[in-house]
Amino acid sequence: MKMITAENAGVKLNGKTILDNISFVLPEGHSMAIVGPSGSGKTTLGKLIGGLAGVTSGQLKVANDKLCLMVEQQDNFMAASHIRSGYYGQRYENLGLEDVPTVGEYLKKIAQSLKSGISRADIDSSLLGMGILALSGRKLMYLSDGERKRTQLVATLIQNPDILVLDQPFVGLDVSAREILEGQLAWFQKSGRTLVLICDPGHVPSQIDWVLELGRGVSPSLKPRKEFVPEKPEMDKTEDLNNIFGFFQPAGPDRFEHAVVMKNVNVSFRGNNILKNINWEVRKGDRWALLGPNGSGKTTLLSLITADNPQGYCNDLVLFDRKRGSGETIWDIKKRIGFVSPELHLFFLGGKGIFNSIPGLENSPGYIGNSVSCEEVVSSGFQDQVGFSDNNSNVQKKSVDAWLSVFQIDHLSGKTFREASMSEQRLLLLARALVKMPSLLILDEPCQGLGPHQTVQFTEMLDVVCPKLDTTMIYVTHQPEEIPKSVNKLLRLEAGSIKSCGEFPEKV
């Protein structure tokens, strides 16, 4: 039986061709990986299959009597939590989150909406299979990035789809979680159902039957998995960055000995110990890799440094040689930090920009939720805003344009953030973190959503910028192979405690 049939399927948006002449047939019970460079239309094709978008030419058909569900890259937990307005540090302050559902409550509500009965035991079994049964009682907004991803997957699997479309499901997962997910996908395939997986060329699981490669300049067609050999990303020469250094606008005074000093730092929430006796020093010019499994406390640790977590006041914490709570403001700290994270991306995707911090303002006359421009996203890094920015100097505007050029996304000038592809949005947020040449650069999963070529380009650029400007950096990732060569220190967390801390080893 033909489960998915595409015949010269194409999509055009605002006069731009996203997909063209896509033709293939995927039989029932078979699996397919969609690969290709960033911007090649992988996510768009996934949405066509998942019924979330329509073709503008040709046709794409999915078997009528089959349930097809898609798990997108970004979750909708903020909407599911009925949070109309929020700000980045809200979850650390526990304000306005009393009614946010737990993971168990969220899944129970989904189960109750289904015609076929799903018991609590069924839900617990799915959570156990994904390795997150212990999260059942935790509120959605307190999950780590990897925990959110696995909860997304459970919420879809309990609906028992006949066809499952997954957009970059391995992104944000640690090694153990990726192995668990591969096992779950193998189980899904063995049950005779159809799987469509959007992923990087180097991460196609061995059990996948077919590969559809986009963006090679020829009409794509299915090829057997065993015949697919991914191309290695070429090591480009890093673009000349003199135009960036010419517009160098430091975040603030760069005179400090320690960016971070933590002594016996502890963070707990609702009786749970998140961080335990953390002792850590980050000296000026250090470039640290911060590693650890999902839920090990990495994001909470960073929230203390970015001044988003109020428990920084009740700990022995020094930021830029100044004791936390000694009269400095949050903005005194933030102006010296460039920051990007998967969670920050979610706030920009909300389309409200800085209005997220002003409850009720989204209802004001003239407010347009999706009007944040790409230039505004980058320039908001000067003022540490989440969205709109104004009154930028000519030098700052030129710096924004220069960063757009370095990341090869000049074509986004004049467009809104929503019009950019997922990988382009990530590049815009990376430019936002770098635009003011901060004293401390905090990159939490910075290459998440980027293609292999873009990842190489970005890490090479860091290896030029950081040593030249003596930039202090904290780099978080679950992919050791992407760690920049300029990183010289390693902090590894496990269950909220330090497992190792010191010089960066040859093998991670």
Side-chain angles (χ1 to χ4, degrees), residues 215-252:
R216 292 292 298 274
V218 296
S219 297
S221 60
L222 290 181
K223 64 174 64 175
R225 168 67 177 86
K226 62 183 179 181
E227 295 181 7
F228 172 69
V229 179
E231 289 186 350
K232 291 185 178 180
E234 296 181 1
M235 302 292 286
D236 287 351
K237 279 189 175 181
T238 304
E239 185 173 339
D240 184 5
L241 297 177
N242 289 329
N243 56 341
I244 290 295
F245 298 126
F247 299 122
F248 175 40
Q249 291 289 305

Side-chain angles (χ1 to χ4, degrees), residues 389-402:
S389 62
D390 53 17
N391 299 322
N392 293 310
S393 68
N394 287 331
V395 171
Q396 288 175 336
K397 291 176 181 176
K398 290 180 179 178
S399 183
V400 169
D401 291 340

